[in-house]
Amino acid sequence: MTEVRNLVKRYGNHCAVDQLSFTVESGQLFGFLGPNGTGRC
């Protein structure tokens, strides 16, 4: 299991992620898809 709590990511003055929390159970796949279609995992 992976657990993330209150993740914050800033690029200079731009806040890309603010207080993100989630849990991913063992065996699950996950990824992030941004508004311009770029994915991060």
Side-chain angles (χ1 to χ4, degrees):
M1 175 174 71
T2 300
E3 185 174 11
V4 175
R5 290 187 181 181
N6 302 319
L7 178 69
V8 174
K9 180 63 180 174
R10 295 185 179 275
Y11 296 95
N13 291 331
H14 179 74
C15 182
V17 176
D18 189 21
Q19 301 297 315
L20 176 67
S21 297
F22 62 90
T23 301
V24 179
E25 298 295 330
S26 296
Q28 289 184 328
L29 298 175
F30 70 98
F32 294 105
L33 187 62
N36 64 355
T38 15
R40 304 284 184 256
C41 54

